[in-house]
């Protein structure tokens, strides 16, 4: 956004991110450390703003299983605060980071937006509830909203250090250190892993695509290809130089087996096409962690 000349304001409570991630642009953006739970802070944040890209969440399925109240506060109450503040500040459009977890363990693959959602974890329920709030604020108040259902986003700067971190950030950092990763279950579960640049692109497209095609709507953002965890481990071996085997542990509660997106709606309405495929994304991500 800076590269194309936009003025940027960033709000983050730094609960999973780090200020050092934006160190090289900090003097060119208006960054404020606040929580979306704070409505007054959201009102200040939305003043004079054209577009809100709402990515803030407690993003973990297992964490939400342990702490459903915390997930509900951050992932639903926080969203409603952002929407109320955006509506009152007359923001042009709000783009929201929704989640593929909304589909749950429905056997149909690929998942498409017209399917009924079947969320399993509290995280998935909260992410889906916020999607409904997005639609509601468009229909009740005319605030243009677009929900992007992200499918397992990964890439540089993702925090690998928490037990709730995304699997690729964990595997890559462990394998680079020569430490053994743990696969929960048989490793045949699969995901439509999506490199971060594709999600960034989708957000920018969601701001500029015509309202008639996008407002009050939900779109899958993914690559349209799924890869099993066992295969992912194999792809990471040569990239990281890891010589050992993975360890297998019990299946994780609330986990879903397979995830794969139909991305034709995003293509038709937003002009979205994944620019970086899985292998290239893995290569870039490993390079980044290696340089740390
Ligand atoms: C889910 C959502 C995703 C969302 C994310 C937020 C689905 C399909 N995806 O991701 O859109 O962004 O929540 O947290 O619902 N695993 C291991 N070993 C590990 C860590 C994880 O085997 O050390 C396994 C998990 O059991 C799971 C897979 O790897 O089967 C992916 O896990 P994770 O990266 O946590 O993401 P999801 O729960 O799939």
């Amino acid at each position: 956004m800076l590269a194309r000349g936009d003025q940027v304001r960033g709000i983050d409570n730094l609960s999973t991110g780090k200020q050092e991630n934006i160190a090289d642009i900090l003097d060119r953006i208006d960054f404020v450390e606040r929580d979306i739970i704070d409505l007054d802070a959201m009102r200040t944040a939305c003043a004079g703003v054209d577009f809100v890209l709402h990515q803030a969440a407690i993003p973990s399925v297992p964490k939400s299983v342990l702490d459903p109240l915390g997930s509900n506060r951050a992932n639903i109450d926080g969203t409603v605060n952002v929407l109320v503040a955006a509506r009152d500040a007359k923001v042009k459009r709000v783009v929201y980071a929704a989640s593929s977890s909304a589909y749950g363990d429905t056997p149909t693959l690929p998942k498409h937006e017209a399917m009924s959602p079947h969320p399993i974890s509290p995280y998935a329920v909260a992410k889906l509830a916020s999607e409904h709030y997005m639609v509601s604020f468009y229909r009740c108040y005319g605030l243009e909203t677009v929900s992007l259902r992200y499918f397992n986003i990964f890439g540089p700067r993702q925090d690998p250090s928490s037990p709730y971190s995304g699997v690729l950030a964990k595997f890559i950092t462990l394998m680079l250190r020569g430490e053994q990763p743990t696969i929960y279950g048989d490793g045949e579960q699969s995901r439509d892993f999506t490199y971060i640049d594709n999600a960034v692109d989708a957000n920018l497209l969601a701001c500029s695509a015509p309202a008639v095609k996008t407002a009050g709507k939900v779109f899958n953002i993914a690559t349209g290809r799924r890869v099993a965890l066992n295969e992912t481990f194999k792809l990471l071996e040569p990239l990281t130089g890891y010589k050992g085997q993975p360890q297998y542990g019990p299946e994780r509660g609330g986990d879903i087996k397979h995830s794969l997106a139909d991305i034709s709606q995003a293509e038709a309405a937003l002009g979205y096409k994944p620019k970086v495929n899985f292998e290239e994304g893995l290569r870039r991500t490993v390079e980044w962690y290696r340089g740390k």
Side-chain angles (χ1 to χ4, degrees):
M1 288 185 283
L2 285 174
R4 62 181 201 178
D6 295 338
Q7 278 184 291
V8 179
R9 177 176 291 158
I11 314 296
D12 202 310
N13 69 352
L14 300 177
S15 59
T16 61
K18 293 196 189 79
Q19 196 160 312
E20 68 181 56
N21 287 338
I22 50 168
D24 55 339
I25 54 162
L26 209 47
D27 58 345
R28 289 186 287 149
I29 68 170
D30 174 14
F31 177 72
V32 196
E33 189 178 337
R34 285 282 188 288
D35 197 313
I36 55 168
I37 284 304
D38 178 348
L39 178 59
D40 288 339
M42 289 309 101
R43 290 195 185 283
T44 310
C46 286
V49 159
D50 292 322
F51 298 98
V52 171
L53 307 180
H54 172 33
Q55 319 289 330
I58 297 183
S60 166
V61 168
K63 197 168 184 181
S64 77
V65 174
L66 287 174
D67 179 17
L69 286 172
S71 173
N72 195 88
R73 264 192 303 275
N75 301 335
I76 302 182
D77 297 348
T79 296
V80 180
N81 280 345
V82 171
L83 282 169
V84 165
R87 178 199 65 188
D88 294 351
K90 306 216 170 350
V91 162
K92 286 186 188 150
R93 196 173 285 184
V94 178
V95 180
Y96 168 62
S99 171
S100 64
S101 57
Y103 291 110
D105 218 356
T106 44
T108 314
L109 292 176
K111 317 281 189 196
H112 58 84
E113 295 87 343
M115 288 169 59
S116 319
H118 286 282
I120 298 172
S121 63
Y123 170 78
V125 169
K127 278 282 162 183
L128 179 63
S130 279
E131 259 183 37
H132 289 305
Y133 269 114
M134 289 287 145
V135 177
S136 166
F137 270 64
Y138 176 57
R139 301 192 65 169
C140 296
Y141 310 111
L143 172 64
E144 290 180 12
T145 57
V146 187
S147 293
L148 304 177
R149 277 189 189 157
Y150 292 166
F151 281 65
N152 291 69
I153 309 296
F154 73 100
R157 301 189 183 87
Q158 196 165 28
D159 178 13
S161 63
S162 135
Y164 307 114
S165 297
V167 67
L168 295 179
K170 278 171 86 177
F171 278 20
I172 292 170
T173 44
L174 285 169
M175 290 168 78
L176 280 173
R177 290 200 301 255
E179 291 172 28
Q180 190 178 36
T182 303
I183 292 180
Y184 303 135
D186 63 4
E188 283 310 301
Q189 68 265 48
S190 59
R191 295 290 183 270
D192 191 336
F193 290 112
T194 305
Y195 187 67
I196 180 68
D197 285 23
N198 300 318
V200 171
D201 205 35
N203 274 270
L204 299 181
L205 290 166
C207 290
S208 57
V212 57
K213 288 186 175 175
T214 55
K217 297 208 162 70
V218 176
F219 300 100
N220 289 341
I221 299 301
T223 68
R225 177 186 154 204
R226 71 188 167 92
V227 186
L229 269 192
N230 287 328
E231 194 183 336
T232 302
F233 174 82
K234 288 221 154 44
L235 289 168
L236 284 173
E237 281 180 307
L239 291 173
T240 58
Y242 182 73
K243 299 282 180 241
Q245 291 301 313
Q247 165 180 308
Y248 287 84
E251 208 173 290
R252 205 174 65 179
D255 224 12
I256 75 152
K257 193 72 185 170
H258 299 297
S259 178
L260 171 70
D262 176 333
I263 53 173
S264 56
Q265 294 291 325
E267 206 174 317
L270 308 175
Y272 167 82
K273 268 197 168 47
K275 286 187 174 157
V276 180
N277 69 22
F278 181 55
E279 283 83 356
E280 174 61 16
L282 271 188
R283 202 187 56 71
R284 292 189 195 179
T285 308
V286 171
E287 275 325 295
W288 186 84
Y289 283 109
R290 196 195 296 283
K292 270 201 57 110

